[in-house]
Amino acid sequence: MPIVLGYLPVAVTFGVLASQVGMSLTELTLMSALVYAGASQFMGANMIAAQASAIEIVVATFVLNFRHFIMSFSFSNLVRETIPLKSRLLLSLGLTDETFAVTALKKENAGEKNSGYFFGTVILIAYLSWVSGSFIGGLLGEIIPEQLSQSMGIALYAMFIGLLVPAVKKSLRLLLIALVAMFVNLLFSQFISPGWSIVLGTVIGGATGIYFLKDEDL
Amino acid sequence: MIILYIIIGMAVVTALPRIIHPGNVSAGAEEDGTGAFDW
């Protein structure tokens, strides 16, 4: 239930934003169903609006989703004994930051015989919330007046700030990394396309974390 | 049409890190990740 409550408003916002940047209801629902990665989809919609090329968007998505290697690796090892490989692969496809958090918190369930059904249900509910929320958002985006939907563009920045602030409150070093990424993006956007400058900002900003971050920040 | 290519491209690069990693191809991996690269 907390995942559904957390996902629905963000998914609806994505639907409205995506429809605002010119994506059709089918396209934005398909994106949620096939990609199923919130931050990447918001970034994708933003880059489509900025008229970035397809390759820039795909590379930026890949960089942003690098963390899935680690999350999926950790999850797979957690349930290695109880869930067969085929089901593990299917469940891995549905891993997100939130569902990963739930699986990590329910580590004690991982050893149980039916843990696959438990994790499968969590992941399926989250997935359906995300896809249906995007669809509703897409519908709303087509119905509500353009002025109102345009003002929702600010929601994108609000969402990213909302993700950043709690982390920064925990450690100011994370703010430094965000500022490095911001500065690199700003600097390179003067010379290269916005898409590639986002990619460079993400990679260089993330790389500085190797030096700045300590174990207690994570 | 281009948006469709973007969606498919994004879907592929999102799915790959989720399913391709040592945890799924190595039987020797421990929970802490040790032994994961034995293959």
Side-chain angles (χ1 to χ4, degrees), chain B residues 14-37:
Chain B
T14 307
L16 284 180
R18 280 174 172 159
I19 57 170
I20 297 180
H21 53 78
N24 277 343
V25 292
S26 168
E30 299 298 332
E31 194 172 319
D32 63 358
T34 55
F37 294 94

Side-chain angles (χ1 to χ4, degrees), chain A residues 37-58:
Chain A
S40 307
Q41 289 179 226
F42 273 102
M43 188 190 64
N46 201 25
M47 288 175 83
I48 288 171
Q51 295 186 324
S53 71
I55 189 82
E56 286 168 340
I57 298 173
V58 171

Side-chain angles (χ1 to χ4, degrees), chain B residues 5 12 24 39:
Chain B
Y5 291 130
V12 171
N24 277 343
W39 49 284

Side-chain angles (χ1 to χ4, degrees), chain A residues 63-119:
Chain A
V63 171
L64 196 60
N65 288 332
F66 242 69
R67 69 191 190 286
H68 287 155
F69 273 118
I70 311 296
M71 282 156 50
S72 176
F73 180 39
S74 164
F75 172 71
S76 257
N77 275 327
L78 194 66
V79 295
R80 188 160 41 92
E81 302 293 334
T82 45
I83 303 178
L85 180 64
K86 275 184 189 168
S87 311
R88 261 191 349 241
L89 288 176
L90 199 64
L91 289 175
S92 296
L93 277 175
L95 272 185
T96 61
D97 296 347
E98 291 79 6
T99 50
F100 175 73
V102 172
T103 56
L105 287 172
K106 298 283 178 187
K107 261 183 184 169
E108 70 278 9
N109 292 22
E112 290 171 12
K113 198 181 163 194
N114 294 325
S115 60
Y117 293 107
F118 170 74
F119 292 132

